Amino acid sequence: MSFGMYNTIAAIFVENTLAAARCNTVLQKRQRLLDRKIFSEKAAELIQFMWGVHKARREDPRENLDAHERVALLKGLEPMEEGELQEAANLQITPSFFDFLLQFREFKVILEELDVSDEDQIDMFDTLDVDGEGTIDIEAMIVGIARLRGEARRADIIGVSLVVRAIQAEVKQLREAVAQ
């Protein structure tokens, strides 16, 4: 009898401990998502990384590098100079350059630290290329990453649904106008 009681008490204790840990993890993630300073620092690190790879790629435009070549490229990266900031701000990211960046574990780690999931990283370029032009600029990338952070929420899904409804209404009006 006492052995059964002990198991029940132990199970309740373990269950409560796990629930508290889950709650703590959720709170920590929420704080991280709301911390603008951390986001700004990581976004700056991301821009620095992309700019350094872009500069290095000018000298060696190959699409695929083996692990040793990627390490060598990273060792040669230099900090962004003052005069390069405006040039970096005008950087246009193409699908091929984005795929090239995805070859670097360091790039993926920065995105993870910005709370962009591995699944979202794979098709992130297509997600952020909202106008379908085939390029995204640095600002669009950072704003897009800010929106990709964390888990999808009901508000995200409802927002998309409302936008789709508005577009459907406009298409309907356009059809009616063309029919007249």
Side-chain angles (χ1 to χ4, degrees):
M1 177 75 155
S2 63
F3 183 71
M5 184 67 94
Y6 173 76
N7 283 343
T8 303
I9 292 170
I12 291 171
F13 175 76
V14 169
E15 185 178 326
N16 287 339
T17 302
L18 290 174
R22 277 192 299 270
C23 183
N24 191 31
T25 302
V26 168
L27 287 174
Q28 287 176 342
K29 185 170 186 173
R30 175 181 242 165
Q31 286 176 329
R32 193 175 63 246
L33 288 172
L34 295 174
D35 192 334
R36 291 177 188 250
K37 182 180 179 202
I38 291 174
F39 180 79
S40 297
E41 289 170 357
K42 288 297 168 185
E45 185 179 340
L46 181 71
I47 293 167
Q48 175 80 28
F49 183 83
M50 290 189 306
W51 179 248
V53 171
H54 173 73
K55 282 185 359 182
R57 195 161 178 229
R58 284 188 213 163
E59 297 169 16
D60 185 358
R62 290 181 293 159
E63 293 292 323
N64 295 310
L65 302 177
D66 64 29
H68 297 293
E69 292 169 324
R70 287 193 302 272
V71 168
L73 185 142
L74 291 177
K75 285 183 180 179
L77 293 183
E78 298 173 1
M80 188 182 299
E81 297 174 15
E82 249 183 74
E84 294 178 316
L85 186 58
Q86 185 58 42
E87 196 175 348
N90 294 328
L91 177 65
Q92 294 292 309
I93 302 161
T94 63
S96 64
F97 182 58
F98 189 79
D99 289 342
F100 184 75
L101 289 167
L102 284 174
Q103 294 178 35
F104 293 90
R105 184 182 58 77
E106 294 79 2
F107 181 70
K108 291 179 178 183
V109 167
I110 296 169
L111 290 176
E112 287 171 10
E113 290 172 348
L114 285 165
D115 293 300
V116 177
S117 69
D118 292 338
E119 299 84 23
D120 288 335
Q121 290 179 25
I122 294 168
D123 60 351
M124 190 168 93
F125 184 88
D126 293 330
T127 302
L128 299 181
D129 184 21
V130 293
D131 59 4
E133 294 285 322
T135 61
I136 51 177
D137 60 24
I138 293 290
E139 181 182 359
M141 184 161 186
I142 299 303
V143 169
I145 287 172
R147 291 182 175 211
L148 277 174
R149 296 176 79 206
E151 303 298 320
R153 297 172 298 275
R154 274 181 45 185
D156 298 328
I157 296 166
I158 291 170
V160 169
S161 177
L162 292 173
V163 168
V164 168
R165 277 194 199 157
I167 291 171
Q168 287 173 330
E170 288 182 30
V171 168
K172 183 179 177 183
Q173 289 175 350
L174 183 62
R175 262 196 246 150
E176 290 170 355
V178 168
Q180 292 175 357

